[in-house]
Amino acid sequence: MPLPFARRCQCAPKPDTARALGARLLCWLLACWALLPGAAQAASLDGAALGLWWGVPFAGVLLSIAILPLLAPRLWHGHYGKITAAWALAFLLPFAVLHGWHAALANVVHALLAEYIPFVLLLTALFTVSGGIYLRGNLRGTPALNTAILALGTLLASLMGTTGASMLLIRPLLRANDDRKHRVHVVVFFIFLVSNIGGSLTPLGDPPLFLGFLKGVPFFWTMQHIWAETLFLVVALLVIFYLLDSWFYRTEGRSRFDPTPTDSDSLRIEGSANFFWLAGIVALVLMSGIWKPGITFDIMGTEVGLQSLLRDLGFVGITLASLKLTARHIHESNQFNWEPMLEVAKLFAGIFLTIIPVIAMLQAGVHGPFAPVVQAVTGADGQPIPAMYFWATGVLSGFLDNAPTYLVFFNSAGGDAQTLTTTLAATLTGISAGAVFMGALSYIGNAPNLMVKAIAEHRGVPMPSFFGYVAWAVCILTPLFMLQTLLWYL
């Protein structure tokens, strides 16, 4: 999916412009939060009473992202925000007419406060902080170095989140390979490993696991139960990548090393103070999951806990502090640009709104339009089938938002953390692994996927189209997932 800025911007904007764009983004998000109506009772959305046609706007957003950049690139480049907004209105306006404006507004408020604004504020903070860290030195994109960076990013993903690890390492990786002829596979495997699979071991790694942590799943439960599956995928993908990258490296006929100008060949980190802000982001996420003061604010039926409010305000403060205190030349060296973040914010706004009825229909279980999906994960004896939970959660996570998909199947399996972490541990393992691993199946399976793609395209990497990337994922990941099913879930 080519980005609109990829053609009209050949270099990063001046830091003052970048800071101004960032301030506009933050002000817009805060305005959305502050201008929401006062307390009222939210209208619950009964997914069992909805027809499948309510999912058309969501399908429209996905198909627009997938098809329009190929069929109508100029239209998409210049108006992707408007197209996404049109699909959101295609859901909201009919819903408001049929179910009332209060019900429509209450569901929008819930999507904004409970999901979208915290999601974008976290991404904005991680994007800003990682953009203030620069690894200076003459990095050379050899197969050994590329594999080492992928392995490091995979390890960091469970410690600082898939978004944090992706934003920290994608720029050095692209810079190391800026004289390579074949670079697409490097970014694709980076998305597989760093932006998805690497985040499977702790609640800090990926939003679905954090939601499980909030539901009562112990912090180290996933590490204890999914480490073998994760290690299998990581080792297999690193070996495949090294062999593939070595083949490309030998056939490129390279006659020169990375031309990136450096003062010396020694590596050094600039903007290291941003690691402090990065630790602050991790601490805020942990605080919001552990600290329960019991103080909540009711906004149209959506309860916002004090810990969540302080966390989000902390994200804003860290973003502004990082922008203010990071030296200008670091942003210039990183070609720091707000356009990838703005695109993610616009596209996911449409996704979070149009997905409202889809999630409600899934949550209706056997009484809703998606009853066949729910019935497929349960055996004749009424017991959950781990392999089916793995694939159902995974495939839907690859093309829906993986966090609510995780919750849907968590609740379908009983919703009791004590039971799921003991008696039904195999089922919860399948749900957790499916949500995290298969987020790599498409660009929209996990937010870092789209951000990494945007940054890579801005650096001149001709990334695959939506369907092109899915083809990469299906060919490489699906056989591994099938083997994983045989080894662990049957």
Side-chain angles (χ1 to χ4, degrees):
M1 179 177 60
L3 298 177
F5 63 86
R7 296 189 177 185
R8 65 174 185 258
C9 293
Q10 299 301 321
C11 60
K14 295 180 179 179
D16 290 340
T17 304
R19 290 188 175 96
L21 286 171
R24 284 171 53 196
L25 175 63
L26 287 172
C27 288
W28 176 66
L29 291 170
L30 289 174
C32 289
W33 197 99
L35 295 178
L36 290 170
Q41 184 177 0
S44 60
L45 185 56
D46 182 10
L50 299 177
L52 282 174
W53 68 274
W54 284 106
V56 170
F58 177 71
V61 172
L62 300 190
L63 290 174
S64 296
I65 295 172
I67 295 176
L68 286 183
L70 299 175
L71 299 182
R74 291 188 178 181
L75 174 65
W76 179 254
H77 295 165
H79 304 285
Y80 68 93
K82 298 174 185 176
I83 294 170
T84 305
W87 282 116
L89 290 175
F91 156 65
L92 290 173
L93 293 179
F95 186 85
V97 171
L98 295 176
H99 297 272
W101 288 99
H102 179 272
L105 187 57
N107 281 282
V108 170
V109 168
H110 179 79
L112 286 175
L113 290 183
E115 299 166 355
Y116 178 71
I117 291 178
F119 167 82
V120 174
L121 288 178
L122 173 60
L123 291 187
T124 302
L126 290 170
F127 181 80
T128 304
V129 170
S130 61
I133 300 172
Y134 184 72
L135 182 61
R136 188 173 294 280
N138 197 12
L139 296 171
R140 293 167 179 150
T142 63
L145 176 70
N146 289 339
T147 304
I149 292 178
L150 292 184
L152 175 62
T154 303
L155 177 64
L156 291 177
S158 283
L159 301 176
M160 57 189 294
T162 53
T163 300
S166 297
M167 295 301 99
L168 179 65
L169 292 176
I170 185 57
R171 293 182 181 91
L173 182 65
L174 290 172
R175 198 168 67 251
N177 291 273
D178 58 7
D179 65 335
R180 292 279 302 270
K181 178 180 179 181
H182 299 287
R183 294 175 290 170
V184 170
H185 69 287
V186 178
V187 183
V188 169
F189 275 81
F190 185 91
I191 293 175
F192 291 168
L193 286 162
V194 183
S195 300
N196 291 277
I197 295 169
S200 65
L201 298 182
T202 73
L204 296 175
D206 221 27
L209 302 185
F210 182 68
L211 291 179
F213 175 59
L214 297 181
K215 289 286 188 178
V217 178
F219 188 88
F220 292 106
W221 190 90
T222 50
M223 181 179 294
Q224 295 168 351
H225 289 78
I226 307 181
W227 69 267
E229 293 96 315
T230 302
L231 183 62
F232 164 75
L233 286 176
V234 169
V235 171
L237 287 171
L238 287 177
V239 170
I240 294 171
F241 171 79
Y242 182 79
L243 295 175
L244 182 62
D245 197 41
S246 297
W247 185 81
F248 279 129
Y249 192 80
R250 290 193 302 270
T251 59
E252 284 176 355
R254 302 171 78 243
S255 59
R256 60 190 177 91
F257 284 117
D258 186 342
T260 305
T262 57
D263 297 329
S264 68
D265 286 339
S266 61
L267 300 179
R268 62 185 185 277
I269 295 175
E270 296 184 1
S272 57
N274 279 287
F275 284 110
F276 169 78
W277 299 122
L278 195 59
I281 295 173
V282 173
L284 287 170
V285 172
L286 282 175
M287 177 274 295
S288 67
I290 297 174
W291 181 49
K292 304 293 183 182
I295 301 174
T296 61
F297 305 92
D298 187 280
I299 302 178
M300 293 204 73
T302 297
E303 292 188 350
V304 179
L306 177 62
Q307 68 273 21
S308 299
L309 176 60
L310 293 179
R311 176 200 62 204
D312 294 346
L313 291 176
F315 291 158
V316 173
I318 286 175
T319 300
L320 295 176
S322 177
L323 282 174
K324 180 68 175 178
L325 299 177
T326 299
R328 177 175 299 185
H329 74 273
I330 295 178
H331 282 150
E332 292 175 342
S333 298
N334 262 335
Q335 298 182 18
F336 185 77
N337 191 310
W338 280 104
E339 290 293 345
M341 190 63 240
L342 290 172
E343 183 187 11
V344 168
K346 291 178 181 179
L347 293 181
F348 273 89
I351 290 172
F352 271 79
L353 290 176
T354 57
I355 203 176
I356 291 173
V358 177
I359 295 299
M361 287 186 282
L362 282 170
Q363 289 175 333
V366 296
H367 304 292
F370 292 119
V373 175
V374 179
Q375 292 169 342
V377 300
T378 306
D381 58 355
Q383 293 298 308
I385 306 173
M388 294 303 297
Y389 266 97
F390 172 67
W391 281 97
T393 305
V395 172
L396 289 177
S397 292
F399 297 93
L400 305 179
D401 184 70
N402 60 359
T405 302
Y406 172 95
L407 282 181
V408 166
F409 287 99
F410 185 93
N411 291 325
S412 297
D416 178 53
Q418 178 62 32
T419 302
L420 286 170
T421 54
T422 54
T423 307
L424 299 179
T427 300
L428 183 57
T429 299
I431 295 171
S432 303
V436 177
F437 296 163
M438 295 197 198
L441 289 177
S442 80
Y443 284 133
I444 62 172
N446 204 14
N449 304 2
L450 200 58
M451 299 178 74
V452 168
K453 175 182 182 292
I455 293 174
E457 287 183 326
H458 181 57
R459 298 296 183 94
V461 180
M463 291 298 292
S465 66
F466 182 91
F467 292 118
Y469 174 85
V470 170
W472 272 87
V474 169
C475 292
I476 296 172
L477 294 179
T478 301
L480 296 177
F481 291 151
M482 294 175 68
L483 183 57
Q484 184 179 28
T485 304
L486 294 174
L487 292 175
W488 280 282
Y489 302 123
L490 292 179

